[in-house]
Amino acid sequence: MYVKMISPEIQVMAPRLLANYRSPFNGRSGRELPVVSAGLAITNSETGCGAFSIQPWVRFEVCSNGLVIS
């Protein structure tokens, strides 16, 4: 099981962090959409081979990818 939850209430404008960033997925720059959102990633093995974990998750809106921080 792999669940990502995002909270629209936990967003911040991060123009300095994303100033020189360009998305490899759609080519947009961080200056166009400097929004960073946070949430949780919950994982568990359905067969018992993996451990249950809850980790913070950061989403850069400019490219819609997710960064999981252990």
Side-chain angles (χ1 to χ4, degrees), residues 6-15 17-18 30 33-39 57-62 65 67:
I6 191 135
S7 176
E9 291 83 18
I10 305 174
Q11 288 187 346
V12 65
M13 298 295 284
L17 176 67
L18 299 172
L33 189 59
V35 179
V36 178
S37 303
W57 183 67
V58 178
R59 181 176 183 227
F60 297 97
E61 299 291 331
V62 69
N65 72 348
L67 170 66

Side-chain angles (χ1 to χ4, degrees), residues 20-67:
N20 297 320
Y21 179 79
R22 180 160 303 277
S23 171
F25 305 108
N26 57 23
R28 294 179 72 181
S29 75
R31 288 188 181 103
E32 293 177 48
L33 189 59
V35 179
V36 178
S37 303
L40 296 172
I42 301 170
T43 60
N44 190 23
S45 172
E46 293 178 9
T47 61
C49 295
F52 175 78
S53 71
I54 299 175
Q55 298 175 316
W57 183 67
V58 178
R59 181 176 183 227
F60 297 97
E61 299 291 331
V62 69
C63 61
S64 302
N65 72 348
L67 170 66

